[in-house]
Amino acid sequence: MSCVVRAQNVSYSYDKGVLALSALSLSVHQHEKVGVIGPSGAGKTTFFWHLNGLLKPTSGHIEVLDRPLTEHKNINEVRQHVALTFQQVNDQLFCSSVGEEIAFGPRNLGWTKQRVNETVEKWLAYFELGAVKDRPPHHLSGGQKRSVALAAAMAMEPQLLILDEPANDLDHRNRRRLITYLKDLPIAIMVASHDLYLISEVAERCVLMDKGRIVADRPTHELIRDKDTLGKYGMEAIRG
């Protein structure tokens, strides 16, 4: 099975020499669903931003969909097939209305007007956003903003879906909708979350990050119940 993500010895330092990733190596295969967990500041968001070309490693090598993320052309191609949602949802939403936000990706992919419109209506209905279709996203509640960001990502029909704390602000019903959709989605998914119950339902594999490194990589059902390992990094294991 081919890799959709291949990171080799990736390190990254922010300004003033703050090391955010340290010799990180990880491969994710086609159709694989991988949970990424760890304490705040572990480097999860920084790593995800590398996978969409938003950051470039200080050292090491990254390929996404067999394209090295060293050329601008490759980054543009990757972004057509990789959807990323941000942990801070306000950093992601920029269009004048909810409908335009969901349509933005499909339009840039060159879809027909009919296909774009059908896709927008599909996701408005899925997340019950029809009543706010014409409203600016920044005027919505936190949960509605999160739903718009998720709808915009899913509307692109990506080959790789990268979700950073996707359940933040969602009510129980939309959290359940999200989990149900992700479980049945036949593509590669990477999801970072402090919600280990969400991780347990969506991902069959789980990696634990700390201080920019991967410190564990195991089947999800094992890792999220490992009190000793998770406790070492200030996390609470799932019971049962």
Side-chain angles (χ1 to χ4, degrees):
M1 191 176 293
S2 62
C3 284
V4 293
V5 172
R6 184 181 289 107
Q8 297 175 310
N9 296 315
V10 173
S11 294
Y12 180 78
S13 294
Y14 284 106
D15 293 341
K16 300 181 181 178
V18 177
L19 189 64
L21 299 177
S22 178
L24 184 152
S25 294
L26 178 72
S27 293
V28 176
H29 294 89
Q30 191 176 16
H31 306 310
E32 191 172 22
K33 295 179 173 65
V34 180
V36 183
I37 64 174
S40 296
K44 303 182 293 294
T45 295
T46 300
F47 181 48
F48 278 4
W49 284 20
H50 277 76
L51 300 181
N52 209 33
L54 294 173
L55 296 174
K56 294 184 179 181
T58 307
S59 62
H61 182 75
I62 298 177
E63 289 183 13
V64 177
L65 302 175
D66 296 320
R67 296 170 175 87
L69 294 185
T70 51
E71 299 179 19
H72 190 68
K73 176 177 179 247
N74 285 350
I75 292 173
N76 287 338
E77 290 179 356
V78 162
R79 287 177 179 168
Q80 294 179 28
H81 305 288
V82 176
L84 167 68
T85 66
F86 291 7
Q87 180 177 357
Q88 303 297 329
V89 71
N90 285 330
D91 294 339
Q92 182 167 352
L93 304 175
F94 59 88
C95 290
S96 60
S97 70
V98 169
E100 289 297 310
E101 196 76 51
I102 299 173
F104 181 82
R107 281 178 181 156
N108 280 334
L109 292 173
W111 293 6
T112 65
K113 183 176 181 180
Q114 179 179 349
R115 185 181 176 190
V116 170
N117 290 340
E118 289 173 351
T119 298
V120 169
E121 293 303 318
K122 169 186 173 180
W123 290 109
L124 287 171
Y126 192 85
F127 282 109
E128 297 183 348
L129 294 167
V132 297
K133 176 181 178 180
D134 298 320
R135 290 181 60 185
H138 286 97
H139 291 182
L140 304 180
S141 69
Q144 288 174 319
K145 290 177 184 178
R146 182 69 56 181
S147 294
V148 173
L150 290 167
M154 295 170 181
M156 293 176 60
E157 300 180 5
Q159 295 180 39
L160 171 62
L161 182 60
I162 303 173
L163 305 173
D164 197 351
E165 297 291 351
N168 277 8
D169 306 312
L170 292 183
D171 60 23
H172 177 76
R173 183 164 52 183
N174 277 320
R175 178 182 175 278
R176 177 49 50 190
R177 283 195 181 104
L178 171 66
I179 291 171
T180 299
Y181 181 74
L182 295 179
K183 285 170 68 172
D184 296 332
L185 196 60
I187 64 170
I189 298 173
M190 298 180 70
V191 53
S193 181
H194 291 290
D195 182 347
L196 297 190
Y197 289 95
L198 180 149
I199 295 290
S200 72
E201 292 200 62
V202 171
E204 65 267 11
R205 175 185 170 199
C206 188
V207 298
L208 171 61
M209 290 185 63
D210 183 63
K211 297 179 180 177
R213 295 178 178 270
I214 292 176
V215 295
D217 184 346
R218 291 162 54 189
T220 299
H221 70 276
E222 292 181 7
L223 184 55
I224 63 174
R225 291 173 173 82
D226 187 334
K227 296 179 183 178
D228 292 338
T229 298
L230 295 188
K232 182 179 177 182
Y233 299 100
M235 302 179 66
E236 185 173 348
I238 287 180
R239 297 180 181 180

